[in-house]
Amino acid sequence: MAKQKTLHDAFYETLKDVYYAEKQSVKALKKSAKAAEHAELREAFETHAEESAQQVERLTQVFEIIGKPARAKTCEAMQGIVSEMEEDLEEFEGSPAADAVLAACAQAVEHYEIARYGTLKTWASQLGYAEAATLLDETLQEEKKADALLSKIAEAINTDGTPEDAEPAKKGKKAA
């Protein structure tokens, strides 16, 4: 009979998943930075790519804390988000909406990471890994900050979201 899975097993498996996802995030952010037209968006991608590289190092520390090897497990969710980003990059390349689409794709990554780091932080606390919980919370706060910055930038770059032949929506009213 197979050994029953525990919260520790779930923590380790999710940690491996996030380790993979974070490594993919670094690559995606670098690619997004090269594609971004707006300087502020490009700078946000470059800065968060550096932060993400540090987050990978933090994850390595968490693996050490729990006494397990730092191993990546293919993260289907991140593969899907990155694949969608690549499709959108190709489809919207050179268009006025390209940076808006890039920002949206980056936020999809951030939201996934926020969900995962929140879960891992909670589980680390429940499992008695206080130091790991602190490290995971540090990353969680960085992800939330990156998401908020992307929202702020998106508002600035999405100022003209209407087709050329459409009437712009009046402030406070939704377009039909």
Side-chain angles (χ1 to χ4, degrees), residues 98-173:
D99 277 359
V101 169
L102 269 176
C105 290
Q107 283 193 282
V109 170
E110 295 311 316
H111 290 194
Y112 176 74
E113 291 176 338
I114 288 166
R116 285 310 208 182
Y117 281 113
T119 296
L120 284 170
K121 173 191 164 191
T122 299
W123 288 351
S125 293
Q126 291 172 328
L127 292 166
Y129 297 125
E131 187 182 354
T134 300
L135 290 168
L136 293 163
D137 185 58
E138 188 176 344
T139 297
L140 177 60
Q141 298 314 313
E142 289 172 353
E143 300 297 6
K144 288 179 178 180
K145 185 177 154 194
D147 180 51
L149 178 60
L150 286 167
S151 288
K152 181 179 167 243
I153 293 169
E155 287 176 12
I157 62 177
N158 292 341
T159 55
D160 185 20
T162 57
E164 288 179 30
D165 59 347
E167 287 290 317
K170 301 226 187 300
K171 284 201 183 262
K173 306 244 182 190

Side-chain angles (χ1 to χ4, degrees), residues 22-88:
E22 202 65 69
K23 287 180 168 191
Q24 293 303 305
S25 178
V26 172
K27 292 175 188 173
L29 285 162
K30 288 179 180 179
K31 190 172 190 173
S32 295
K34 288 179 183 172
E37 291 290 324
H38 286 80
E40 190 178 9
L41 183 60
R42 183 173 38 256
E43 185 178 309
F45 288 148
E46 289 169 350
T47 299
H48 197 55
E50 291 170 17
E51 256 181 1
S52 293
Q54 292 171 341
Q55 292 167 357
V56 170
E57 289 303 313
R58 240 181 257 134
L59 287 170
T60 302
Q61 289 178 278
V62 173
F63 280 109
E64 289 171 11
I65 290 167
I66 66 169
K68 298 278 189 177
R71 289 206 177 112
K73 173 178 130 183
T74 301
C75 174
E76 301 292 336
M78 185 58 79
Q79 282 189 318
I81 293 169
V82 170
S83 175
E84 188 173 298
M85 181 197 83
E86 289 171 355
E87 288 173 20
D88 287 349

